[in-house]
Amino acid sequence: METQDELAMLLDSLAVGRHVCAGYGPAANVPIADRVFALAEQAEQAHNDWSVEHGTGPISAPEVAAVLDRVNRWEAIETMADMAAVDLVRSARLQDRDGAHRAAVRVAGILGEEADWVTNWEGFWASGGQWSPVTRHGIDVVVAGANDEFFAVLLAFGDD
């Protein structure tokens, strides 16, 4: 299996439920904040029946970049697994966390040790945490990584 195909399959498996989406592909020297912003815009257009609280979040890629903080590979893995396993707003189970964790580990493995990872989430998932919005929804969490070859973005969002 080609690396990009495997990355696509893994991220699609993590994008479970109506409120979790993924983006991936060649890095092409595009800043990761641009990828996050594009995915947020794409998700909002695809789900135009959602009520979006316009004005409560970033409206440009530079504004998204301002709220993203670097995290290490292991923090990114745990955040991806949590996002894929539990609905962000209702805390309902979306899929088996162990399976989501295995997929997240493999995504991180494809991007490699030297990949840069960012998120808007701060704190421990199970005990709550804080975030700075990357969408115009009430609640959102993103984790994104990139190396010289590929990028990967997982975005969970909803309205509280």
Side-chain angles (χ1 to χ4, degrees), residues 19-58:
H19 297 284
V20 183
C21 56
Y24 43 83
N29 295 321
V30 175
I32 200 67
D34 290 13
R35 301 292 189 178
V36 171
F37 183 70
L39 182 60
E41 292 290 305
Q42 177 185 348
E44 288 177 10
Q45 290 173 5
H47 301 285
N48 59 9
D49 58 323
W50 291 350
S51 63
V52 176
E53 299 176 24
H54 292 285
T56 62

Side-chain angles (χ1 to χ4, degrees), residues 9-16 20 74 76-87 93-108 143 154:
M9 180 190 71
L10 291 164
L11 281 158
D12 286 344
S13 78
L14 292 170
V16 174
V20 183
W74 303 111
I77 289 169
E78 296 303 320
T79 303
M80 280 190 283
D82 288 337
M83 291 167 62
V86 179
D87 181 274
R93 182 177 163 172
L94 297 174
Q95 67 173 297
D96 176 67
R97 189 183 187 291
D98 290 338
H101 189 266
R102 285 190 298 276
V105 166
R106 184 64 191 128
V107 168
V143 63
L154 194 65

Side-chain angles (χ1 to χ4, degrees), residues 140-160:
D140 61 53
V141 175
V142 67
V143 63
N147 62 18
D148 291 338
E149 194 173 358
F150 300 110
F151 77 92
V153 180
L154 194 65
L155 172 64
F157 54 97
D159 295 316
D160 56 356

